[in-house]
Amino acid sequence: DICANFQITTDLDIINARFDNICYRPGNPEDAIDICSKMCIEAVNSNVITFSDSKVSLIYLQDAIEALYQLSIVSEHESSSYRIDSGDFLDMEAMAEIIREKIGGDIQFNCVEKTEYIWVENNSVTDYDKEFPFRVFQTSEQCTVRIADYISRHASRFKDKEEIIEFMNSTTFSEF
């Protein structure tokens, strides 16, 4: 609403882009800010994958950049706020299965109840794909495979370090 009001009062084309679940291959544990990377690192370090019983739409970083570029080159926008995601939803248990397959070993699942949040529906937010033609190059499943495969191949970078365990313990997975 702030962007919309600013846009009206200044007569400038101001936009707000909200990306849901951007993911990418992390270079180190501190870069692992997306749910998929966190689940992979948890699997590597504790042979457990914690997830909620919900679905997630992952968008790979390069796809997000392309969407933002397409949004930025348009001279006029129909909305001041856009929600950008892949439009491809993956059950988190299916994501955990892919991760277990790629990481290997005897990995246990820990399905937790999703935390309920108070959600204020913002009717001024427009789904990006309603106004712009958009096709992702990486589906949610492909993102998961790509990240899990990378972390599996570079497990020593993400494994058994005290700061990783402390970082993972400070993160709540039920928020996803």
Side-chain angles (χ1 to χ4, degrees):
D1 290 340
I2 293 171
C3 287
N5 289 333
F6 188 77
Q7 183 176 16
I8 291 166
T9 58
T10 62
D11 200 32
L12 296 173
D13 190 19
I14 307 293
I15 57 170
N16 175 30
R18 184 182 113 200
F19 291 92
D20 289 343
N21 297 305
I22 293 178
C23 63
Y24 57 93
R25 294 184 316 192
N28 58 56
E30 293 78 24
D31 293 340
I33 59 172
D34 64 273
I35 185 62
C36 184
S37 297
K38 288 180 179 182
M39 289 169 67
C40 290
I41 292 171
E42 181 186 29
V44 164
N45 282 287
S46 64
N47 288 331
V48 173
I49 301 175
T50 304
F51 57 91
S52 67
D53 59 346
S54 60
K55 294 183 181 230
V56 65
S57 176
L58 301 175
I59 184 167
Y60 206 71
L61 181 61
Q62 285 85 342
D63 288 330
I65 291 168
E66 176 63 23
L68 189 58
Y69 171 73
Q70 293 300 326
L71 191 63
S72 69
I73 62 172
V74 173
S75 59
E76 279 192 39
H77 299 92
E78 292 178 15
S79 176
S80 61
S81 295
Y82 293 91
R83 177 181 24 255
I84 304 172
D85 62 31
S86 68
D88 170 49
F89 289 86
L90 181 64
D91 184 274
M92 289 191 71
E93 186 171 0
M95 184 189 304
E97 287 285 355
I98 293 167
I99 293 168
R100 177 165 49 189
E101 178 184 315
K102 290 292 179 182
I103 302 293
D106 185 28
I107 297 173
Q108 303 300 311
F109 287 172
N110 180 21
C111 184
V112 295
E113 198 172 307
K114 186 176 180 183
T115 304
E116 293 298 323
Y117 291 97
I118 297 173
W119 181 259
V120 178
E121 186 60 39
N122 186 346
N123 293 329
S124 64
V125 175
T126 302
D127 284 334
Y128 178 87
D129 59 353
K130 289 182 179 171
E131 187 177 337
F132 300 95
F134 181 60
R135 182 180 72 84
V136 295
F137 294 99
Q138 300 284 324
T139 64
S140 294
E141 185 175 335
Q142 290 169 325
C143 289
T144 303
V145 167
R146 191 172 184 176
I147 292 168
D149 187 50
Y150 176 80
I151 289 177
S152 176
R153 283 183 290 137
H154 301 281
S156 63
R157 203 184 288 175
F158 300 96
K159 192 170 186 171
D160 292 333
K161 296 179 183 167
E162 194 62 40
E163 62 269 12
I164 295 173
I165 295 166
E166 187 176 310
F167 172 73
M168 297 306 292
N169 287 337
S170 70
T171 305
T172 59
F173 288 95
S174 61
E175 65 191 50
F176 298 100

